[in-house]
């Protein structure tokens, strides 16, 4: 199980850990959707499309290792290592995400804490870099939704 905790109110950076130890830091990209992280001495780059509906993970700028599609929809997928992982929003009212397979719900990603700045991800069966990729994609999705909601609220006045 992965945990993510925002490192500062001012920076969009998360420490990602497991079993009480920090594994990596997810640093959101300032100019684009996505981010970067290093895991087990390997550097990964995650980049999203303009609208943030697709994301690709590469290692040191090489060939794609994982791709997420239809991000932000009720149902979306991640393809990595010849496997396709299916995700869906837990409910209409929640941004929490669930990992599903043919037998049903296998895992989840949810916000934690009073200000909802922490995240817990239980993604059994996914390789560690893919788990961090999925977690980063969900964090990016939540940030984009929060930004859109704030922009919409600011323009409603007359």
């Amino acid at each position: 199980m992965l945990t993510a905790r925002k490192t500062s109110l001012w920076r969009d950076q998360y420490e990602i850990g497991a079993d009480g130890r920090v594994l990596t830091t997810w640093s959101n990209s300032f100019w684009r959707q996505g981010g970067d992280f290093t895991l087990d001495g390997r550097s990964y780059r995650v980049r999203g499309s303009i609208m943030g509906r697709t994301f690709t993970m590469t290692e040191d700028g090489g060939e794609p290792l994982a791709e997420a599609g239809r991000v932000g929809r009720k149902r979306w997928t991640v393809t990595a290592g010849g496997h396709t992982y299916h995700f869906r929003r837990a409910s209409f009212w929640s941004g929490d995400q669930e990992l599903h397979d043919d037998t049903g719900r296998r895992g989840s990603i949810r916000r934690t804490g009073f200000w909802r700045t922490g995240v817990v991800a239980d993604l059994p069966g996914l390789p560690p870099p893919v788990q961090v990729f999925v977690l980063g994609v969900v964090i990016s999705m939540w940030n984009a939704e929060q930004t859109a909601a704030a922009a919409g609220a600011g323009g409603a006045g007359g």
Side-chain angles (χ1 to χ4, degrees):
M1 182 175 306
L2 294 179
T3 59
R5 141 185 113 67
K6 197 164 185 176
T7 60
S8 163
L9 288 174
W10 313 112
R11 297 190 65 197
D12 207 9
Q13 192 172 56
Y14 291 79
E15 279 187 345
I16 298 175
D19 301 322
R21 66 181 184 94
V22 174
L23 300 175
T24 188
T25 300
W26 170 265
S27 299
N28 269 341
S29 175
F30 184 73
W31 296 107
R32 299 189 60 171
Q33 296 244 6
D36 301 297
F37 66 96
T38 301
L39 187 64
D40 295 329
R42 300 173 111 168
S43 297
Y44 298 91
R45 172 171 281 171
V46 177
R47 292 295 175 255
S49 64
I50 300 273
M51 298 301 289
R53 297 288 181 226
T54 60
F55 287 81
T56 303
M57 178 177 71
T58 61
E59 183 180 354
D60 294 327
E63 293 296 314
L65 300 174
E67 295 182 350
R70 299 182 48 88
V71 175
R73 305 280 188 180
K74 180 178 180 179
R75 296 171 190 268
W76 56 285
T77 59
V78 170
T79 304
H83 299 282
T84 300
Y85 304 98
H86 299 273
F87 292 86
R88 71 172 70 149
R89 189 173 50 241
S91 76
F92 181 77
W93 306 108
S94 169
D96 295 353
Q97 303 293 313
E98 295 178 340
L99 170 63
H100 284 261
D101 66 9
D102 295 339
T103 63
R105 182 178 176 271
R106 288 186 48 212
S108 65
I109 305 166
R110 62 183 174 79
R111 291 183 183 163
T112 61
F114 182 75
W115 297 106
R116 299 178 59 80
T117 57
V119 183
V120 173
D122 180 23
L123 302 170
L126 277 69
V130 177
Q131 288 187 39
V132 175
F133 169 67
V134 169
L135 184 56
V137 166
V138 171
I139 289 170
S140 295
M141 176 184 64
W142 287 339
N143 287 345
E145 289 170 353
Q146 187 175 2
T147 299

